[in-house]
Amino acid sequence: MKTTEKYPPSQTVLLGKSQQELTQWVEKFGQPPYRGKQLHQWLYQKGARSLENITVFPKQWRQTVADYPIGRSKIHHCSIASDETRKYLLQLRDGLIVETVGIPTAKRLTVCVSSQVGCPMACDFCATGKGGFSRNLQAYEIIDQVLTVQEDFKRRVSHVVFMGMGEPILNLEEVVKAVKILNQDVEIGQRSLTISTVGLPGKIRQLAQQKLQITFAVSLHASNQKLREKLIPSARRYPLEKLLQECREYVQITKRRVSFEYILLAEVNDLPENALELAKHLRGFQTHVNLIPYNPISEVDYQRPSKFRIQRFMDLLKQENIQTSIRYSRGLEANAACGQLRAYYNNEGKTPGA
Ligand code: SAH
């Protein structure tokens, strides 16, 4: 489906507005201010999909504004993995499809949100990048992903990670706006919101200046500049030393720790010398390393390292006093794991060959 003129993605919708803005909106229709508070609660807490369903509103007025867009997407498809992870393909108002993943555990419900449709970064090991880039998401389209998962699981979302499709730092303004709304309006604690980025010159500093109390992760993936350039094309314009320097500034400005993600690719970046080289770069840095064993995608022939190699890498980092954990992604067989988003459908919402 092509972008339709009737609903350009930038047209004002209700989702994304603050309680104050919603109050101004209802007042334009001659409604009393308390209706703004009710609308806020129905949008962000009850997940209303249409104004017609807001039963506390007078029936006649509901009918007048029934068509006004709230800004919710349609669930185009949902696949459920055996570990209960659910991957959704959501159809946006302009017809484009974006992915979001709901990851439940006993105590948490985490949503892995997309910040862009597709991704321009083209990291060699990531399926999203192979599909190209369409556009940035608006803040409300990010909020909608969280509300959709909350509605489908019939459970409150406790954590949100910006680790779906896209590079959040390329869409910083809308991502920061979404973080603030998730915190203030959907009422998720800032520390339970994680932004993950590959890093671009100047952008980490720009994020730091927002002084958010979020969890911040940088996709490092390599222990030296040469290797990083091979895996992440944009690294050519961003020397490792400069990236690490900006991360140090992030810690100074926000007083929050930076964690690093490191994908493990067998025989490529999982050797003992890579672990030692990485430890050297991170010495004295109050940090945490998250090792992500590679999730296979069809376009490239990297291999996931054996358990022995993964453990060896972690032990070496720990010996060097670097806090380290391994992140085994959930949702593998629904193609919902890290890096697998967008592998098996195109943007017209069809599975290739179907
Ligand atoms: N653009 C952001 C968010 C991307 S996805 C970023 O780069 O940080 C979140 C994490 O999954 C990133 O660390 C990304 O590098 C990693 N990832 C991508 N492809 C992967 C794959 N095939 N297997 C495992 N992790 C992958």
Side-chain angles (χ1 to χ4, degrees):
M1 203 185 293
K2 294 239 161 61
T3 299
T4 55
E5 284 305 312
K6 192 175 167 206
Y7 291 128
S10 55
Q11 187 201 345
T12 318
V13 295
L14 294 179
L15 204 60
K17 288 189 194 294
S18 64
Q19 188 170 315
Q20 196 188 359
E21 289 165 332
L22 291 171
T23 304
Q24 284 164 0
W25 186 80
V26 299
E27 283 178 327
K28 275 201 307 204
F29 295 90
Q31 294 293 322
Y34 70 88
R35 297 259 180 246
K37 190 172 176 194
Q38 287 176 325
L39 180 55
H40 183 265
Q41 201 203 8
W42 278 73
L43 289 183
Y44 294 109
Q45 305 303 324
K46 296 184 188 262
R49 285 188 167 269
S50 117
L51 288 169
E52 225 177 344
N53 299 340
I54 305 184
T55 46
V56 288
F57 285 171
K59 204 161 182 192
Q60 209 185 355
W61 183 53
R62 262 194 274 157
Q63 279 161 2
T64 326
V65 290
D67 266 354
Y68 199 91
I70 279 189
R72 298 297 307 271
S73 66
K74 274 197 296 222
I75 299 183
H76 180 77
H77 186 75
C78 173
S79 38
I80 307 180
S82 55
D83 64 8
E84 296 298 319
T85 294
R86 297 186 197 176
K87 179 170 91 164
Y88 306 85
L89 304 185
L90 303 181
Q91 186 158 41
L92 306 172
R93 293 169 69 239
D94 62 359
L96 292 181
I97 300 272
V98 78
E99 297 205 4
T100 195
V101 183
I103 310 159
T105 62
K107 290 203 179 128
R108 294 179 171 200
L109 175 56
T110 302
V111 186
C112 177
V113 293
S114 297
S115 55
Q116 299 182 310
V117 185
C119 184
M121 303 310 289
C123 299
D124 201 35
F125 44 80
C126 179
T128 306
K130 307 285 176 204
F133 170 69
S134 297
R135 70 166 169 88
N136 280 337
L137 290 181
Q138 307 260 313
Y140 81 85
E141 293 171 315
I142 298 172
I143 307 301
D144 165 70
Q145 297 174 49
V146 176
L147 296 179
T148 298
V149 173
Q150 194 152 276
E151 178 184 11
D152 195 48
F153 276 87
K154 298 185 179 56
R155 205 178 137 184
R156 273 193 72 85
V157 165
S158 60
H159 293 75
V160 176
V161 295
F162 285 76
M163 295 188 189
M165 294 163 73
E167 175 41 59
I169 237 168
L170 283 176
N171 187 17
L172 200 55
E173 204 175 307
E174 293 297 308
V175 164
V176 167
K177 201 168 147 195
V179 161
K180 290 183 178 164
I181 296 167
L182 287 172
N183 180 231
Q184 285 158 19
D185 303 292
V186 187
E187 296 177 9
I188 303 174
Q190 282 207 20
R191 286 164 193 232
S192 306
L193 305 172
T194 302
I195 291 184
S196 169
T197 177
V198 84
L200 287 161
K203 291 282 187 181
I204 294 178
R205 190 174 305 118
Q206 221 175 309
L207 175 64
Q209 282 155 356
Q210 298 288 328
K211 298 224 171 124
L212 299 171
Q213 289 300 296
I214 54 163
T215 302
F216 181 55
V218 172
S219 293
L220 204 56
H221 302 331
S223 57
N224 59 61
Q225 175 65 12
K226 200 166 153 218
L227 186 54
R228 195 162 191 267
E229 284 182 15
K230 269 198 204 153
L231 302 173
I232 303 172
S234 65
R236 284 174 218 141
R237 287 175 282 122
Y238 200 17
L240 192 57
E241 273 313 317
K242 284 233 163 78
L243 166 67
L244 292 171
Q245 183 48 37
E246 237 180 282
C247 290
R248 286 191 190 95
E249 283 178 42
Y250 185 94
V251 176
Q252 271 170 6
I253 297 172
T254 62
K255 312 276 181 272
R256 298 276 297 155
R257 185 173 84 165
V258 173
S259 51
F260 292 101
E261 291 155 294
Y262 193 100
I263 190 171
L264 284 171
L265 306 164
E267 316 277 350
V268 175
N269 68 353
D270 71 336
L271 305 168
E273 55 258 41
N274 295 123
L276 296 174
E277 199 174 31
L278 178 62
K280 219 162 110 189
H281 283 300
L282 301 183
R283 200 158 290 153
F285 202 135
Q286 203 210 346
T287 186
H288 179 100
V289 174
N290 239 315
L291 300 174
I292 319 174
Y294 169 65
N295 298 316
I297 63 165
S298 57
E299 292 91 337
V300 283
D301 63 358
Y302 291 118
Q303 301 296 323
R304 174 183 280 206
S306 64
K307 284 230 160 77
F308 167 78
R309 296 177 74 97
I310 296 171
Q311 192 62 41
R312 179 178 67 183
F313 201 92
M314 177 155 94
D315 291 345
L316 282 166
L317 287 181
K318 283 190 168 167
Q319 271 169 34
E320 297 292 317
N321 292 320
I322 312 267
Q323 246 192 59
T324 309
S325 54
I326 302 175
R327 183 163 84 211
Y328 280 102
S329 304
R330 305 260 312 265
L332 255 188
E333 87 268 33
N335 285 307
C338 282
Q340 294 188 314
L341 301 189
R342 275 262 295 149
Y344 296 110
Y345 74 98
N346 61 30
N347 218 336
E348 288 173 4
K350 293 190 203 104
T351 305

